[in-house]
Amino acid sequence: KSHHLTVIGITGSNGKTIVKEWLYQLLRADFVIVRSPKSYNSQVGVPLSVWQINDQHQLGIFEVGISKPHEMERLTDLVDCNIGIFTSIGSAHQEGFVHESEKVREKLLLFKNAKKIIYCKDFEVIDNQIAASKKFSWSKHQKADLQITAIQQFPKHTTISAIYKSENITINIPFTDDASIDNALTCWCYLLLINYDSSLIAERMLQLEPLSMRLELLSGVNNCSIINDSYSVD
């Protein structure tokens, strides 16, 4: 609170780190950004991440992960975010919670002061727990702020078409896997929310780069492939 910067808080079962890094890639030309190092999203990682802030920073992008009840309440005052991003909900860390809705409710504590929460409306358990005034959603199957109308996967890129504010818009991303498509859609929502021009969005989305050591596909000996996902090993 001693620093005056816009703060994006990111939580969810999967995709937190990639969304954080891609937002950094998309926004670094326009803002001085501080962000969580690597996958620093734990009870120790979040304080270390926030400790980096200085007076030059205009935008903070912090990821926050929890594995059991009452962990988020310790972190939510550290990351007092203006905009919340809920990437997904899945089985990760479910053993710490009685049911999925309890886990969603706990994660949403991060966004108690957020003006808007970006999320996928197709996760009904998330949609049901967000106040209507805070919703900024995308969906592949139903009406949403960003309503996806077509996804065309080619050998080296994907074309995504959507409707936003009654207009047809399109982006291309240099990825073809489903997880990358979903993460790109989440990032697209943030750029639309802050009123970036569609042509600028299209240009920057095409320049997204993969994260090294995150599902990085490498060629091995004897005609084999190696998937390196050691980024978050700690």
Side-chain angles (χ1 to χ4, degrees):
K1 288 181 173 62
S2 64
H3 298 280
H4 303 287
L5 73 167
T6 299
V7 175
I8 304 170
I10 305 174
T11 195
S13 297
N14 303 102
K16 296 184 292 295
T17 301
I18 291 177
V19 167
K20 177 204 67 187
E21 291 297 326
W22 281 1
L23 283 176
Y24 172 74
Q25 292 178 24
L26 292 163
L27 298 166
R28 63 188 170 190
D30 306 315
F31 301 94
V32 180
I33 300 173
V34 55
R35 69 195 194 280
S36 306
K38 299 207 172 195
S39 295
Y40 279 36
N41 60 38
S42 67
Q43 298 286 296
V44 174
V46 174
L48 288 172
S49 300
V50 172
W51 200 255
Q52 302 175 103
I53 301 173
N54 64 46
D55 289 339
Q56 278 69 52
H57 292 126
Q58 301 167 307
L59 176 64
I61 311 174
F62 301 108
E63 57 174 290
V64 181
I66 57 171
S67 57
K68 54 189 176 182
H70 309 301
E71 286 189 335
M72 188 61 86
E73 59 197 50
R74 298 192 193 105
L75 301 175
T76 188
D77 288 334
L78 289 176
V79 184
D80 187 14
C81 49
N82 308 91
I83 303 296
I85 294 177
F86 204 136
T87 56
S88 64
I89 192 69
S91 59
H93 304 299
Q94 186 57 50
E95 65 276 5
F97 299 90
V98 177
H99 42 68
E100 199 172 60
S101 59
E102 180 194 21
K103 185 165 63 173
V104 169
R105 188 162 54 250
E106 180 83 10
K107 287 178 180 289
L108 283 170
L109 291 175
L110 179 64
F111 307 141
K112 64 179 183 179
N113 296 326
K115 296 186 177 85
K116 288 290 180 182
I117 302 171
I118 294 168
Y119 70 103
C120 175
K121 195 172 184 178
D122 299 331
F123 290 110
E124 195 172 308
V125 67
I126 300 176
D127 186 52
N128 289 340
Q129 295 194 49
I130 298 177
S133 61
K134 290 190 173 189
K135 292 181 176 182
F136 194 102
S137 62
W138 64 266
S139 173
K140 298 176 183 176
H141 308 296
Q142 55 189 309
K143 282 193 173 182
D145 294 283
L146 181 65
Q147 186 177 343
I148 311 308
T149 54
I151 297 175
Q152 296 173 282
Q153 291 159 287
F154 299 98
K156 293 188 177 180
H157 77 281
T158 300
T159 300
I160 309 172
S161 302
I163 298 172
Y164 178 68
K165 292 185 175 179
S166 302
E167 289 187 16
N168 294 307
I169 54 177
T170 301
I171 59 168
N172 290 283
I173 59 170
F175 303 93
T176 59
D177 62 287
D178 291 341
S180 292
I181 291 168
D182 288 357
N183 291 331
L185 289 171
T186 299
C187 294
W188 195 5
C189 281
Y190 183 77
L191 297 181
L192 291 169
L193 181 63
I194 62 172
N195 298 315
Y196 266 38
D197 182 76
S198 290
S199 60
L200 180 60
I201 293 174
E203 176 188 329
R204 293 197 181 169
M205 281 288 185
L206 197 53
Q207 297 170 359
L208 286 174
E209 299 173 359
L211 273 61
S212 61
M213 301 185 294
R214 290 314 303 261
L215 297 176
E216 183 180 23
L217 186 61
L218 306 170
S219 296
V221 298
N222 298 326
N223 211 22
C224 74
S225 297
I226 301 167
I227 298 174
N228 177 13
D229 195 31
S230 58
Y231 188 102
S232 58
V233 173
D234 54 29

